[in-house]
Amino acid sequence: MGYKIHIERTKRSRIGNVDFSNLPFGSIFSDHMFIAEYENGDWDNCRVVPFGNISIHPALSALHYGQAIFEGIKAEKNNEGVPIVFRPQKNFERFNLSAERMAMPQVPEEIFMGAIDHLLTIDRDWIPTSPDSSLYIRPFMFAAEEIVGIKPAERFIFCVFTSPVGKYYHHPVRVYVHDKYVRAFPGGTGYAKCAGNYAAAMMPLREIKKLGYDQILWLDGIHHRYLQEIGTMNIFVIIDGIIITPSLHEGTILHGVTRDSIITLAQEEGYVVQERDISIDEVIDAHNQGKLDDMFGTGTAAVLSHIGEFFYKGEVYELPPVELRDVSNKLRQRLIAIKSGKAEDLYGWLYHVPVGVYAAQIP
Ligand code: COI
């Protein structure tokens, strides 16, 4: 306990320039951000400052060797106007899991949650209230060693900014099932939310976008056969009423917080959920037999987004119209209602920011 957070307020808020009824995803940033520095084995210099550029050394190790991780969390306001954050504890745990894999220090809960508490208090007016919108919280950490040689860094910067966002996907996602490039393999970094996982996807992503697809559905790195994830989302398939999603056991896919929430809600509704290996052949067989009811992805940014069609080895496979997908539509609505405080929070998923406590401390 006892990390002091210094606060410098912006002199000129930009909030008046924002059209909150028509928010893009990820290109508008709230007035403040949080920064903490790690050196000599501890965190120091925790501060909330006006959002802006960070000055960095050209030899900054994160830029050269990719020691960098991030998270995505969403906040809304409940009917009383209190900022509510969806399962930040899970993201905190995953952040430190990623940190461990990338030889980075653990961020204390006091700093991680303190950053959220301070930012959501000082910038609470930036939390949108229109449908399908929320405040996206982006914690990230990068190695800040200023040296050309390769070694695990000993200096790091932890930063959090927030961004009022609208929908990530505006139409059913067109997915390209890649049979050549892979995202992860056992022993690799697939389960970590590290920058490198996304960097390695960029070239194949650019290629498939040229063909009119939105995202890649990655297959496993050994057999090129089993579904892994989409990069922005975990994948779910519904075959003959059974909900199937790849298990986390190999350490190749992200431990999605939305994934976990959807599994919980589906089981509560009485659906059978299987966490297991599922091959692309099984999905195609189900499609050919008319048993492929649904495919959708889950993620913080994407919430629950339907897949419209997928491409695999020269063939396009269409999924049923979204309005007929009763199971996923029901789960999506339930999740959205819980996240916005409109449905009962049976599982204690919502964190209520104690604005009163922090507002009194913030100058
Ligand atoms: C998220 O869903 O929060 C993500 O990190 C996915 C994407 C925006 C990169």
Side-chain angles (χ1 to χ4, degrees), residues 68-136:
I69 61 171
F70 69 97
E71 267 306 325
I73 309 172
K74 273 185 177 164
E76 298 190 33
K77 273 184 192 164
N78 67 11
N79 285 339
E80 288 75 50
V82 175
I84 45 176
V85 191
F86 189 69
R87 306 188 78 180
Q89 185 69 28
K90 289 287 260 185
N91 295 87
F92 164 68
E93 287 162 13
R94 189 173 68 181
F95 191 77
N96 277 335
L97 189 70
S98 302
E100 183 190 42
R101 179 63 183 85
M102 301 301 289
M104 302 172 99
Q106 299 288 289
V107 172
E109 187 172 352
E110 183 189 340
I111 292 183
F112 192 93
M113 291 307 297
I116 292 177
D117 283 335
H118 281 81
L119 289 177
L120 265 61
T121 298
I122 201 164
D123 281 337
R124 58 190 179 277
D125 292 345
W126 286 82
I127 304 174
T129 50
S130 50
D132 292 320
S133 66
S134 49
L135 191 76
Y136 186 81

Side-chain angles (χ1 to χ4, degrees), residues 217-232:
L217 172 52
W218 300 101
L219 299 178
D220 76 281
I222 295 179
H223 309 95
H224 292 217
R225 213 174 138 212
Y226 296 100
L227 273 49
Q228 285 197 333
E229 60 155 269
I230 299 189
T232 55

Side-chain angles (χ1 to χ4, degrees), residues 26-71:
S27 54
I28 295 174
F29 303 98
S30 316
D31 279 332
H32 297 89
M33 62 186 188
F34 176 94
I35 303 181
E37 290 163 34
Y38 182 89
E39 201 171 6
N40 301 320
D42 202 4
W43 291 96
D44 196 11
N45 209 1
C46 301
R47 57 202 188 273
V48 172
V49 292
F51 180 88
N53 292 353
I54 302 174
S55 168
I56 50 172
H57 192 281
L60 188 97
S61 47
L63 295 180
H64 299 260
Y65 312 122
Q67 240 184 318
I69 61 171
F70 69 97
E71 267 306 325

Side-chain angles (χ1 to χ4, degrees), residues 318-330:
E318 303 263 354
L319 276 293
V322 165
E323 54 283 9
L324 299 184
R325 306 201 207 170
D326 296 343
V327 176
S328 56
N329 284 329
K330 195 200 289 179

